[in-house]
């Protein structure tokens, strides 16, 4: 019925030229329908609405669900809303700005860079929201309330905040419903004789209605008439009256997508140069309380800041950064002034203000200088025990964003996190774990405290919380036996939320890869992730590039689940991603000085290019190795297939499949010899894996066969899928490092500091998984570690060759 009333009353608006005029001036304002309560996971479905047309321009939206419960009826609800917004929302940022965050952020787009401190960087927030099916089609798990924090607690630090913020705990004294009805009747009686002061007063009085009656007020046709009058008088309001009306909208719980709010944003934007800094900050804070994104108004606010730099003290600076964080943007020309202000006022900041500053910088993805960040963290460390859990986590968030490893702070966390974990909520614990993951920081005290707390919080976990926790713990290599209930509880939570992965497939892949790092393989969830429908959804219906994640998961299945009978990726998709990864490797890790030097010196040591093969032995691990084969006497065996090199044109070799530096598909260039056929025929008597040996004997009568991709196969037999499986499938009894001829296959890895947890020799999850799988594939791993090989590069040639000789030939012992 309320919708019908809206439609009837809206029809009368067609005769209001002033309304049309004001609206036309404001219609370019972008209104973003957003429910920030659950940070992407909790986006509401399509709002049902009734609309009346004002020459195709004006719409009145009706959303019954938004009227059932007051959003701002207590400080608790506000705190909960803010706390749920735990990640930056990048949908309002230009593509240019998406890439300006930390090079090491775990929230970056999905790619692999050996020169950056990333593993399989997962993208939860770096791309615009995908257009997904309505949420009602995929019911969400009922989530218990998380631990509530007050994200606006810093407002209590100083009385000066009162003039630039709205205290949501100080709601006006309520009036009785009968009094509200009398006010609405007066609105009807006054009709066209209403003045701007009357409009402001009526809205202010009606905003004092009981929260449970607020929906009735908003749906009353007389209230809609009052909104019409407010728009008629919009240009006649003083700045103070505009702010009073905006405050009334906060207490009235106006839906953030209400079209009337567009007009007020446009008017306040026009008045920005007439308002004081405190008035501008107050208006921005009230827009925040309404939960409406107002980019036009904030643009004018930021432009005005330059005029008031001399008036900005601690409260103005902290509130400005808070507003920037909630608006998810900081203009580039304000970064330098903000840095100077932070330096000037640093020693005057209270603990909660430090947390608010870091949260604003994190949400707005603003990179200030590393030296300044270090100074602020140093200052925060001086009172870390006094900080709230929320502020402490905000410091960690920004350290994660900037990839700032602060030894003293992290050492303090080894004491603070175990002390605080029993009272912390799942979101805070998740951010602590993500920071450890991004900083490659493995500390048993921190991880155990989180692992012991999380199982009891599983009912409060959103899907992304569970998956990010699995990723973070897998990245730093937290073993399952240290906390027997941690991984099983989160895996079971994923099973309970399968439907949500139809909306957010990236979360499932993130969680499964984190589990794979630590040898956890929930086969039912893996089967879901590799099913044709899910693959199609992940590849074609999201804006995130999930192909590499699918490829990695598929490679894990191939090596670690030998009896797998579930779905696999198509050959076409696997080949497409493998080529894409190789092209990237060519331009990145293959060009590193330490890799090139190792390759050339090994070639000299072993006798030429054909004895060293730079390639991606396991393409799904997204990294290269230098492959070397040795016979039982230690003599090098040619491993770079000369027949394949000869069949490619120079152009082909330089693009897709370089000869001695490249990766090529496993089913190319395999020579079928009599010995190999004998092994294939008598597979039951050969428990060791079958690897194609070098051509020690003349092969069977060979002829060139061209496959479907135009590549030449130098073989006398067709390489079927069954034959390839027999050639490459590892033994279930454990893989020997020598084949039937005694050949030793070496995978020589030039590691970097980013392969390990900081200040330790513990491999990160991806690299530990790769070592494990290389052994399954029959390789002996030889490591040229960064702390040995990089200093060696400055020494003389014969010293480097002696070092490599020792590494290669001692590997057989």
């Amino acid at each position: 019925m309320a919708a019908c009333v809206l439609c009837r009353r809206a029809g009368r608006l067609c005769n209001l030229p002033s309304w049309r005029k004001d609206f036309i001036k404001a219609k370019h304002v972008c209104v973003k329908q957003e429910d920030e309560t659950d940070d992407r996971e909790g986006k509401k479905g399509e709002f049902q609405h009734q609309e009346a047309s004002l020459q195709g321009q004006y719409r009145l939206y009706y959303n019954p669900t938004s009227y059932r419960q007051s959003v701002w009826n207590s400080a608790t609800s506000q705190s909960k809303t803010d706390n749920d917004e735990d990640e930056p929302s990048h949908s309002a940022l230009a593509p240019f700005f998406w890439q300006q965050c930390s090079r090491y952020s775990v929230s970056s787009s999905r790619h692999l860079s050996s020169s950056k401190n990333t593993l399989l960087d997962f993208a939860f927030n770096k791309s615009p929201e995908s257009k997904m099916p309505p949420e009602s089609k995929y019911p969400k798990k009922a989530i218990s309330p998380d631990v509530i924090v007050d994200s606006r607690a810093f407002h209590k630090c100083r009385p000066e905040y009162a003039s630039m913020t709205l205290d949501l705990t100080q709601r006006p004294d309520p009036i009785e419903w009968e009094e509200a009805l009398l006010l609405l009747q007066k609105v009807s009686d006054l009709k066209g004789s209403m003045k701007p002061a009357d409009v402001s007063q009526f809205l202010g009085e009606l905003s004092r209605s009981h929260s449970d009656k607020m929906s009735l007020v908003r749906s009353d046709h007389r209230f809609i008439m009052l909104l019409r009058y407010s728009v008629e008088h919009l240009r006649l309001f003083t700045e103070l009256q505009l702010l009073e009306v905006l405050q009334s909208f906060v207490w009235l719980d106006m839906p953030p997508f209400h079209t009337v709010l567009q007009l007020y944003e446009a008017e306040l934007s026009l008045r920005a140069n007439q308002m004081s800094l405190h008035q501008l900050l107050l208006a921005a804070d009230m827009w925040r309380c309404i939960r409406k994104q107002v980019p036009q108004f904030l643009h004018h606010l930021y432009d005005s800041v330059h005029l008031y730099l001399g008036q900005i003290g601690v409260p103005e600076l902290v509130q400005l950064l808070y507003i920037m964080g909630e608006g998810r943007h900081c203009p580039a020309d304000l970064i330098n002034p903000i840095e100077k202000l932070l330096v000037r006022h640093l020693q005057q900041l209270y603990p909660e203000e430090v947390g608010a500053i870091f949260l604003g910088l994190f949400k707005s993805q603003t990179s200030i200088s590393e030296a300044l960040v270090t100074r602020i963290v140093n200052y925060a460390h001086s009172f870390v025990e006094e900080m709230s859990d929320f502020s402490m986590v905000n410091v960690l968030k920004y350290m994660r964003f900037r990839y700032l490893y602060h030894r003293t702070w992290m050492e303090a966390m080894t004491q603070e996190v175990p002390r605080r974990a029993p009272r912390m909520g799942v979101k805070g614990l998740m951010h602590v774990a993500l920071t450890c993951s991004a900083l490659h920081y493995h500390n048993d005290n921190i991880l155990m405290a989180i692992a012991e707390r999380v199982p009891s919080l599983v009912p409060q976990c959103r899907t992304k919380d569970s998956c990010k926790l699995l990723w973070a713990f897998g990245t730093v290599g937290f073993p399952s036996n240290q906390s027997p209930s941690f991984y099983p509880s989160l895996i079971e939570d994923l099973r309970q939320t399968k439907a949500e992965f139809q909306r957010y497939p990236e979360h499932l892949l993130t969680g499964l890869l984190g589990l794979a790092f630590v040898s956890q393989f929930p086969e039912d969830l893996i089967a879901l992730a590799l099913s044709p429908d899910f693959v199609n959804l992940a590849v074609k219906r999201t804006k995130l590039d999930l192909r590499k994640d699918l490829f990695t998961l598929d490679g894990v299945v191939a090596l670690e689940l030998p009896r797998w009978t579930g779905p696999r990726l198509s050959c076409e998709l696997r080949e497409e991603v493998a080529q894409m990864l190789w092209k990237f490797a060519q331009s990145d890790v293959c060009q590193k000085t330490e890799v090139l030097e190792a390759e050339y010196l090994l070639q000299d040591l072993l006798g030429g290019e054909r004895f060293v093969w730079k390639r991606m032995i396991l393409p799904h691990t997204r990294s290269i190795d230098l492959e070397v084969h040795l016979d039982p006497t230690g003599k090098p065996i040619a491993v770079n297939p000369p027949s394949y090199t000869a069949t490619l044109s120079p152009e082909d070799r330089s693009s897709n499949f370089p000869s001695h530096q490249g990766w090529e598909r496993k089913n190319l260039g395999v020579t079928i010899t009599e010995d190999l056929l004998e092994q294939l025929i008598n597979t039951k008597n050969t428990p060791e894996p079958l690897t194609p040996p070098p051509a020690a004997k003349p092969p069977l009568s060979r002829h060139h066969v061209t496959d479907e991709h135009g590549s030449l196969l130098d073989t006398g037999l067709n390489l079927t899928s069954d034959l390839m499986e027999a050639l490459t499938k590892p033994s279930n009894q454990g893989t020997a490092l020598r084949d039937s001829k005694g050949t030793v296959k070496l995978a020589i890895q030039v590691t970097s500091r980013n392969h390990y947890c900081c200040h330790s020799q513990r491999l990160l999850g991806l690299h530990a998984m790769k070592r494990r799988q290389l052994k399954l594939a029959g390789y002996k791993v030889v490591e040229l570690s960064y702390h040995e090989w990089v200093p060696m590069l400055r020494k003389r040639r014969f010293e480097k060759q002696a070092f490599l000789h020792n590494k290669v030939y001692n590997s057989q012992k």
Side-chain angles (χ1 to χ4, degrees):
M1 178 175 178
C4 297
V5 171
L6 289 176
C7 293
R8 289 199 301 269
R9 300 305 302 173
R12 301 183 184 180
L13 301 179
C14 297
N15 298 319
L16 295 176
S18 61
W19 178 285
R20 287 198 299 272
K21 181 179 178 181
D22 290 343
F23 181 79
I24 290 171
K25 290 186 177 182
K27 68 179 181 179
H28 67 281
V29 179
C30 176
V31 178
K32 184 175 179 180
Q33 178 176 310
E34 180 178 22
D35 182 351
E36 298 174 332
T37 303
D38 207 15
D39 185 25
R40 285 196 60 189
E41 292 285 327
K43 296 288 183 182
K44 299 296 183 184
E46 299 294 333
F47 286 98
Q48 299 177 358
H49 64 270
Q50 299 288 341
E51 64 179 10
S53 172
L54 177 62
Q55 295 184 353
Q57 295 173 347
Y58 180 67
R59 292 181 178 179
L60 283 175
Y61 290 90
Y62 172 60
N63 177 19
T65 59
S66 68
Y67 298 150
R68 290 175 188 163
Q69 182 178 358
S70 173
V71 177
W72 302 109
N73 59 358
S74 69
T76 299
S77 61
Q78 162 67 7
S79 302
K80 184 178 187 302
T81 301
D82 283 351
N83 184 41
D84 284 350
E85 298 163 1
D86 50 23
E87 292 290 353
S89 171
H90 298 271
S91 52
L93 307 180
F96 155 78
F97 199 76
W98 296 340
Q99 303 303 323
Q100 301 309 305
C101 70
S102 166
R103 298 171 297 166
Y104 309 107
S105 171
V106 295
S107 301
S108 60
S109 55
R110 289 177 182 262
H111 69 281
L112 174 69
S113 172
S114 64
S115 62
K116 301 174 184 179
N117 197 25
T118 54
L119 288 175
L120 308 178
D121 292 337
F122 55 138
F124 303 113
N125 313 287
K126 277 299 178 97
S127 298
E129 295 289 346
S130 306
K131 292 184 178 180
M132 300 298 293
E135 188 170 344
S136 58
K137 184 176 178 181
Y138 308 107
K140 289 174 63 67
K141 177 187 78 170
I143 298 176
S144 304
D146 198 4
V147 173
I148 296 174
V149 297
D150 185 2
S151 63
R152 293 163 65 92
F154 68 95
H155 287 164
K156 302 173 185 176
C157 293
R158 305 172 192 269
E160 292 87 348
Y161 285 109
S163 63
M164 65 188 84
T165 65
L166 182 61
D167 189 348
L168 294 169
T169 65
Q170 300 298 317
R171 195 179 185 100
D173 295 333
I175 61 176
E176 297 299 327
W177 177 239
E178 291 75 13
E179 189 175 347
L181 290 176
L182 288 175
L183 288 169
L184 291 171
Q185 185 58 43
K186 287 182 181 180
V187 170
S188 179
D189 293 340
L190 286 175
K191 295 183 180 179
S193 61
M194 195 172 294
K195 298 178 180 179
D198 298 327
V199 174
S200 175
Q201 183 178 355
F202 277 123
L203 287 171
E205 290 296 321
L206 289 170
S207 70
R208 295 171 55 195
S209 302
H210 279 285
S211 57
D212 57 349
K213 300 291 186 182
M214 207 61 76
S215 62
L216 297 176
V217 172
R218 289 195 305 265
S219 60
D220 193 285
H221 70 278
R222 292 164 293 188
F223 177 77
I224 297 171
M225 182 188 301
L226 184 61
L227 290 182
R228 186 191 72 183
Y229 294 150
S230 77
V231 174
E232 286 181 343
H233 294 93
L234 201 54
R235 295 294 177 85
L236 303 177
F237 283 130
T238 65
E239 284 75 31
L240 183 58
Q241 287 172 335
L242 276 175
L243 293 175
E244 288 175 349
V245 171
L246 196 57
Q247 178 176 297
S248 300
F249 288 160
V250 174
W251 302 129
L252 284 161
D253 297 337
M254 290 287 283
F257 52 86
H258 200 298
T259 313
V260 169
L261 299 180
Q262 285 183 271
L263 305 175
Y264 276 86
E265 181 193 0
E267 184 62 27
L268 284 166
S269 298
L270 291 173
R271 307 273 191 103
N273 58 352
Q274 304 169 29
M275 300 170 69
S276 68
L277 177 61
H278 280 206
Q279 287 178 326
L280 290 168
L281 290 173
L282 176 59
D285 192 61
M286 289 191 290
W287 284 124
R288 163 65 195 136
C289 293
I290 296 173
R291 296 176 294 120
K292 175 174 170 58
Q293 295 292 318
V294 285
Q296 182 186 21
F297 176 77
L298 291 181
H299 174 74
H300 290 282
L301 167 62
Y302 300 149
D303 283 347
S304 301
V305 168
H306 294 281
L307 305 175
Y308 299 105
L309 286 177
Q311 305 175 27
I312 296 180
V314 171
E316 291 82 7
L317 173 61
V318 177
Q319 182 65 16
L320 176 63
L321 285 168
Y322 171 76
I323 293 300
M324 287 179 174
E326 301 312 306
R328 289 359 190 232
H329 177 58
C330 175
D333 61 346
L334 275 183
I335 294 177
N336 189 51
I338 285 174
E339 288 186 341
K340 292 179 179 178
L341 289 168
L342 285 170
V343 171
R344 182 191 308 169
H345 300 304
L346 178 59
Q347 298 301 320
Q348 304 171 42
L349 295 172
Y350 291 114
E352 294 310 299
E353 291 176 322
V354 171
I357 285 172
F358 274 127
L359 182 61
L361 293 171
F362 172 76
K363 284 187 173 183
S364 62
Q365 302 285 272
T366 303
S367 294
I368 59 176
S369 69
E370 184 173 317
L372 179 54
V373 180
T374 302
R375 284 187 60 182
I376 302 175
V377 178
N378 284 337
Y379 179 64
H381 179 263
S382 67
F383 47 67
V384 62
E385 294 181 358
E386 303 172 29
M387 300 183 79
S388 67
D389 300 343
F390 183 69
S391 292
M392 184 191 76
V393 169
N394 290 340
V395 177
L396 289 169
K397 286 182 183 180
Y398 195 69
M399 290 173 61
R400 180 180 99 214
F401 166 68
R402 286 304 315 274
Y403 191 72
L404 174 72
Y405 175 73
H406 192 287
R407 180 190 288 270
T408 308
W409 177 269
M410 295 308 296
E411 287 175 352
M413 292 302 99
T414 65
Q415 303 298 320
E416 291 298 314
V417 173
R419 180 172 69 86
R420 299 166 183 254
R423 68 172 185 245
M424 290 178 67
V426 68
K427 299 181 187 69
L429 295 172
M430 179 263 290
H431 280 293
V432 174
L434 282 180
T435 300
C436 290
S437 171
L439 302 182
H440 298 174
Y441 187 73
H442 182 110
N443 180 270
D444 286 335
N445 290 342
I446 294 176
L447 296 176
M448 279 300 298
I450 298 173
E452 290 176 356
R453 169 70 168 152
V454 163
S456 65
L457 297 178
V458 166
Q460 300 169 19
C461 284
R462 301 165 297 177
T463 303
K464 65 184 238 175
D465 296 328
S466 299
C467 293
K468 287 182 178 183
L469 281 166
L470 290 173
W471 166 269
F473 274 69
T475 297
V476 295
F478 183 78
S480 58
N481 58 7
Q482 279 195 246
S483 179
S485 61
F486 176 73
Y487 288 116
S489 65
L490 291 177
I491 291 172
E492 184 58 32
D493 186 55
L494 299 192
R495 292 191 174 106
Q496 298 299 321
T497 56
K498 284 183 180 179
E500 292 186 39
F501 297 130
Q502 298 299 314
R503 284 181 60 83
Y504 306 107
E506 67 271 21
H507 292 334
L508 176 59
L509 295 176
T510 295
L512 290 178
L513 290 178
L515 287 167
F517 294 163
V518 290
S519 299
Q520 298 287 307
F521 308 106
E523 297 191 12
D524 56 328
L525 295 174
I526 294 174
L528 170 63
L530 295 179
S531 64
D533 289 343
F534 188 90
V535 171
N536 180 66
L537 172 72
V539 172
K540 298 181 179 179
R541 294 176 61 186
T542 68
K543 293 184 179 180
L544 304 175
D545 188 356
L546 303 178
R547 293 174 298 169
K548 290 177 282 189
D549 293 348
L550 289 166
F551 180 59
T552 299
L553 185 61
D554 183 81
V556 168
V557 168
L559 284 165
E560 307 236 30
L561 300 176
R563 294 185 176 87
W564 178 262
T565 58
R568 295 284 304 278
L569 294 187
S570 66
C571 295
E572 293 77 9
L573 182 57
R574 289 202 297 264
E575 183 173 331
E576 174 190 350
V577 180
Q579 292 191 32
M580 175 175 60
L581 290 171
W582 169 244
K583 287 181 179 179
F584 179 79
Q586 283 181 290
S587 63
D588 185 53
V589 68
C590 287
Q591 303 304 319
K592 284 182 167 294
T593 302
E594 57 268 30
V595 173
L596 292 173
E597 187 76 359
E599 180 187 17
Y600 297 149
L601 288 171
L602 282 170
Q603 289 173 355
D604 285 348
L605 178 67
L606 300 176
E609 293 183 1
R610 60 198 182 104
F611 297 103
V612 182
W613 193 4
K614 181 167 64 179
R615 70 179 188 119
M616 302 176 82
I617 297 175
L618 303 178
H620 68 278
T621 61
R622 314 184 188 190
S623 56
I624 67 160
D625 304 278
L626 302 174
E627 183 171 353
V628 170
H629 289 190
L630 302 175
D631 68 12
T633 65
K635 181 179 179 181
I637 300 174
V639 66
N640 231 340
S643 59
Y644 180 73
T645 304
T647 61
L648 293 178
S649 66
E651 180 180 355
D652 291 334
R653 287 199 296 268
S654 65
S655 58
N656 291 338
F657 299 105
S659 59
H660 70 284
Q661 295 185 358
W663 170 86
E664 58 182 339
R665 290 172 286 134
K666 285 184 177 180
N667 59 338
L668 293 179
V670 177
T671 300
I672 307 302
T673 64
E674 293 177 355
D675 288 337
L676 181 57
L677 283 175
E678 183 178 352
Q679 293 177 46
L680 290 173
I681 294 171
N682 298 286
T683 53
K684 293 183 180 179
N685 299 324
T686 57
E688 300 168 341
L690 300 176
T691 305
K697 295 184 179 182
L700 298 176
S701 57
R702 291 179 284 173
H703 58 276
H704 292 294
V705 182
T706 304
D707 71 355
E708 59 181 350
H709 301 284
S711 301
L712 294 178
L713 306 179
D714 188 17
T715 176
L717 296 175
N718 291 325
L719 296 184
T720 64
S721 59
D722 292 336
L723 182 56
M724 285 309 304
E725 182 177 2
L727 285 168
T728 61
K729 185 174 180 180
S731 170
N732 296 334
Q733 304 297 325
T735 305
L737 296 177
R738 298 174 183 269
D739 64 9
S740 61
K741 293 294 185 180
T743 301
V744 177
K745 299 189 297 181
L746 304 181
I748 301 175
Q749 296 184 335
V750 183
T751 61
S752 75
R753 183 177 286 103
N754 294 330
H755 288 186
Y756 295 91
C757 294
C758 61
H759 306 304
S760 79
Q761 291 300 305
R762 180 191 294 271
L763 282 167
L764 291 170
L766 172 64
H767 305 292
M769 182 183 76
K770 178 182 176 179
R771 295 277 178 97
R772 187 173 71 239
Q773 293 178 358
L774 280 171
K775 292 177 182 178
L776 288 173
Y779 286 85
K780 170 75 174 180
V781 177
V782 177
E783 179 186 354
L784 304 183
S785 62
Y786 69 92
H787 62 273
E788 292 180 325
W789 181 238
V790 173
M792 186 67 64
L793 296 179
R794 296 190 291 269
K795 297 187 177 181
R796 288 172 293 182
R797 185 181 185 85
F798 80 89
E799 292 180 274
K800 290 184 281 190
Q801 285 192 330
F803 174 81
L804 291 175
H805 183 279
N806 180 63
K807 283 286 185 179
V808 169
Y809 288 101
N810 280 348
S811 66
Q812 299 182 81
K813 296 179 181 179

